[in-house]
Amino acid sequence: MSDLAAKRRASITVAQAEQAAAVADPDRLAVSLLSEFRAAWSTGDHDQMTAVMLAAIDLDQTTPDAPRLMDEIRGIRYQAAA
């Protein structure tokens, strides 16, 4: 990712991403939110994780035929049973 893209991405909030989703590709938004959740998970940023989860719930509700993003997030949060 270029420096400009990284700066632009760092300045975009979850709320702005949700707003853009109204006109953007839901799959692209889901990938972005999942990446944002992983980054927040790795740093222990619980506020950001919560914000992303709320956005994921909204996205899941607006795109009922798409794969559920919250299922992906739950997969990150909980270790699979061996």
Side-chain angles (χ1 to χ4, degrees):
M1 178 182 329
S2 71
D3 289 340
L4 178 60
K7 286 179 186 178
R8 184 182 303 159
R9 178 72 181 110
S11 67
I12 294 176
T13 65
V14 172
Q16 290 168 328
E18 284 184 283
Q19 186 177 28
V23 295
D25 178 14
D27 290 336
R28 185 174 175 191
L29 177 61
V31 169
S32 294
L33 288 172
L34 192 55
S35 295
E36 194 170 339
F37 183 84
R38 285 183 181 132
W41 175 262
S42 69
T43 61
D45 186 345
H46 296 284
D47 290 338
Q48 186 66 14
M49 290 183 337
T50 299
V52 171
M53 288 184 347
L54 292 173
I57 290 167
D58 288 343
L59 182 62
D60 285 346
Q61 289 176 346
T62 60
T63 55
D65 295 332
R68 294 182 38 85
L69 182 56
M70 278 305 299
D71 291 343
E72 294 290 328
I73 288 173
R74 284 185 193 101
I76 293 170
R77 295 185 67 203
Y78 302 109
Q79 293 181 347

